Amino acid sequence: QVQLVESGGGLVQPGGSLRLSCVASGTISSRSIFSRYPMAWYRQAPGKQRELVAVISNGGIRNYTDSVKGRCTISRDNAKNTVYLQMNSLKPEDTAVYYCNTNFRMVAYWGQGTQVTVSS
């Protein structure tokens, strides 16, 4: 019912920037439904548990995990059914697969993930 497709990952040097995008399609993209649901970005580094990076509510309220505060900005474009994660001042410890997530009608949906590698 819901498909999430991430893009924008890649290899970047420490201190660099990336902007991740996640486009939602399926039932959630109908009749402004997308705008009613919080959207989130998670990440999972090798050998570690998946962790919440940032979340944006249907009203635009943003929350971040402490390790990315001041460096990352989550935003959404409801007309495009898209959520973004702007990441600046990237560090090697930001290296992970980044996943888009939403809970739609009590079901958690995930994208396939996009790899972010921060390395010199």
Side-chain angles (χ1 to χ4, degrees):
Q1 290 191 349
V2 175
Q3 295 80 44
L4 301 173
V5 179
E6 304 98 332
S7 62
L11 173 64
V12 62
Q13 292 187 341
S17 298
L18 284 174
R19 188 175 83 153
L20 307 183
S21 300
C22 171
V23 179
S25 61
T27 305
I28 199 171
S29 65
S30 303
R31 294 180 296 171
S32 300
I33 294 175
F34 176 82
S35 65
R36 303 177 191 173
Y37 289 86
M39 298 295 296
W41 285 97
Y42 284 74
R43 66 186 178 186
Q44 188 167 19
K48 295 188 177 180
Q49 289 188 330
R50 192 170 297 189
E51 65 169 348
L52 177 65
V53 177
V55 60
I56 184 167
S57 73
N58 55 343
I61 297 173
R62 302 170 172 87
N63 283 288
Y64 303 91
T65 190
D66 285 346
S67 62
V68 306
K69 283 180 180 177
R71 299 189 298 119
C72 293
T73 302
I74 188 171
S75 61
R76 64 191 299 163
D77 185 337
N78 293 328
K80 296 182 178 179
N81 300 319
T82 301
V83 61
Y84 303 98
L85 185 67
Q86 176 68 44
M87 303 189 294
N88 301 321
S89 303
L90 283 161
K91 305 175 181 180
E93 50 264 43
D94 294 317
T95 295
V97 179
Y98 284 70
Y99 297 93
C100 182
N101 163 266
T102 191
N103 291 309
F104 178 66
R105 296 176 181 171
M106 297 185 292
V107 177
Y109 291 91
W110 299 89
Q112 82 290 348
T114 185
Q115 176 70 47
V116 172
T117 303
V118 185
S119 175
S120 55

